[in-house]
Amino acid sequence: MGSLSPYPPAPKAGLDWAKLDMTKHLPVNGHVELRFHQSTQSWTSPSLVTGNQISISGLCPGLNYGQQCYEGLKAMRRRRHRQGSQEAEETIAVFRPTFHAARMARSADAVCLPPVPEHLFLECIRLAVAANAEYVPPLDAEGFLYIRPVLFGASDGLPLGPCEETIFAVYCHPARAYHGMQGIKGLVCEEFDRAAPRGMGRFKVGGNYAPVWRHAGKAQKMGYHITLHLDSETHSLVEEFATSGFLGHKIVDGQDVLVVPESENAIESVTGSSLQVLAKNKGWKVDKAPLPFSSLGELDEVIAVGTAAAAVPIASIDRLSSGEKYVFQATGDGKLLDLARSMRAIQKGQAPDNDDWCFEVTGF
């Protein structure tokens, strides 16, 4: 990699940044790996490894029992003004990594894995992004470098609890928003309950995602783009979309209101959390409470929010069993999308980062 520089390298030549695919991993310069050993209660030093492969036993609990969890972050190029100068310089920053570190620690604890300490999590993210900085899209591109940390039990054997060896790895590749930015059609998933009360729904583990795929695939064949999940106890309250959080907008007595479904069974969204802060800063009321599906007619806008999904306008939501259909404004000039643009301006260095959300990468 040569000597370290305070400035990131230019974007890699020859890539079509407008045609990045979230679901396809482009070969990059490598990933970061380290291990935790139960017997010594210690982590190894992070190292950069070429390629995507990790050699593990087919009898490890990560494969056999789903003892794993993961996260998804993004890094972008941004402009930063030099201290005491009007000149701007280009940097790369990761958005809200401490939020992701804390969420991963909660998920790890839920499946008997050792939480990665925040300082180590941040160092692994920094190392992975710095090593692959040329794959961060240009300043004027719509994409981002998607970062995927994964933690799993890797010991040879089938322990029913904490295992001797745990692997933490951080991968990344350039990508664009998962669903695009056009208004999409949603369908209530009525054949499957995504999460149970007092269950695993709030944690970012693979078992919350793969079982939804067949239902999402069926919905796509029917002309829908995303499924919406209601609470499994009453099937009357909105929880979240299959791949994203749910946010709505309405106006009450002339005031903008951000509607946030409150549920212990949904994953806390970093994008949703950020937009709540920005909404309050704009003088909006934030209404975070259980959201009856029957009240969706009060909303004029709905968006699906997530790191990979960004903020996607929802054009309509159908519930086939009851014949209910709710239609929302899904044009590019919606107030929720304007909030999302404010967040992106912070990410790109076009607006002040007053909450210290952007973690600047160093050591290129």
Side-chain angles (χ1 to χ4, degrees):
M1 294 175 58
S3 59
L4 296 182
S5 166
Y7 304 110
K12 190 174 180 65
L15 284 182
D16 189 343
W17 302 103
K19 293 185 178 179
L20 299 174
D21 189 332
M22 183 68 211
T23 63
K24 295 180 181 178
H25 185 96
L26 288 176
V28 291
N29 296 330
H31 69 276
V32 172
E33 276 186 40
L34 66 162
R35 287 164 168 74
F36 177 86
H37 294 105
Q38 187 72 23
S39 56
T40 62
Q41 291 290 294
S42 63
W43 291 91
T44 61
S45 298
S47 61
L48 186 69
V49 181
T50 302
N52 297 333
Q53 285 71 37
I54 296 177
S55 179
I56 56 171
S57 167
L59 291 177
C60 73
L63 289 177
N64 287 268
Y65 298 135
Q67 190 184 35
Q68 62 83 239
C69 58
Y70 70 97
E71 275 298 319
L73 303 82
K74 63 173 63 169
M76 293 183 181
R77 292 181 190 267
R78 65 197 307 266
R79 290 290 188 189
R80 180 190 64 183
H81 285 283
R82 295 177 184 172
Q83 191 76 22
S85 170
Q86 292 301 310
E87 292 185 32
E89 56 194 11
E90 186 173 294
T91 64
I92 291 175
V94 179
F95 190 64
R96 299 195 70 179
T98 56
F99 181 105
H100 290 279
R103 189 170 68 177
M104 183 172 232
R106 293 193 296 270
S107 297
D109 187 60
V111 290
C112 293
L113 287 170
V116 182
E118 182 183 283
H119 74 277
L120 199 53
F121 184 95
L122 294 178
E123 173 57 17
C124 292
I125 297 297
R126 184 204 65 76
L127 181 59
V129 175
N132 294 289
E134 62 187 311
Y135 291 96
V136 180
L139 265 170
D140 58 355
E142 287 297 320
F144 47 86
L145 186 73
Y146 185 71
I147 307 164
R148 169 53 57 89
V150 60
L151 183 74
F152 60 93
S155 295
D156 183 19
L158 301 171
L160 298 177
C163 59
E164 168 56 25
E165 184 177 64
T166 298
I167 292 178
F168 179 55
V170 179
Y171 293 89
C172 50
H173 69 275
R176 285 169 60 89
Y178 186 69
H179 291 289
M181 296 303 293
Q182 302 300 315
I184 60 176
K185 295 170 60 179
L187 176 69
V188 174
C189 184
E190 300 186 85
E191 300 174 345
F192 172 77
D193 291 329
R194 190 198 69 83
R198 297 176 297 279
M200 292 292 293
R202 77 192 74 174
F203 305 113
K204 203 164 181 66
V205 296
N208 285 337
Y209 290 82
V212 180
W213 291 349
R214 63 191 179 103
H215 303 286
K218 181 179 178 180
Q220 287 174 358
K221 290 178 181 178
M222 297 168 63
Y224 296 93
H225 307 93
I226 196 169
T227 53
L228 177 68
H229 295 267
L230 307 182
D231 74 295
S232 61
E233 187 170 13
T234 70
H235 297 141
S236 66
L237 301 173
V238 172
E239 289 199 330
E240 63 181 355
F241 292 107
T243 56
S244 320
F246 179 109
L247 290 181
H249 173 272
K250 62 183 179 181
I251 295 179
V252 177
D253 296 329
Q255 183 179 29
D256 291 296
V257 179
L258 183 67
V259 176
V260 184
E262 187 173 47
S263 171
E264 292 186 354
N265 305 321
I267 295 168
E268 187 179 4
S269 164
V270 64
T271 306
S273 169
S274 304
L275 295 184
Q276 289 176 56
V277 172
L278 296 179
K280 290 178 181 177
N281 291 345
K282 287 179 176 287
W284 292 21
K285 177 183 176 183
V286 175
D287 183 5
K288 188 172 185 179
L291 178 63
F293 180 77
S294 59
S295 71
L296 293 193
E298 300 173 4
L299 306 180
D300 55 14
E301 290 179 64
V302 169
I303 58 174
V305 294
T307 299
V312 183
I314 303 297
S316 61
I317 297 176
D318 289 0
R319 187 173 190 176
L320 299 182
S321 65
S322 63
E324 293 167 278
K325 183 183 184 74
Y326 297 104
V327 178
F328 312 101
Q329 176 187 339
T331 58
D333 58 354
K335 290 191 174 183
L336 289 178
L337 288 184
D338 187 54
L339 263 189
R341 282 189 284 269
S342 297
M343 182 182 71
R344 184 173 176 81
I346 294 171
Q347 293 170 333
K348 301 290 280 185
Q350 299 161 348
D353 179 18
N354 295 325
D355 294 285
D356 241 1
W357 285 341
C358 297
F359 172 78
E360 194 168 294
V361 175
T362 58
F364 301 103

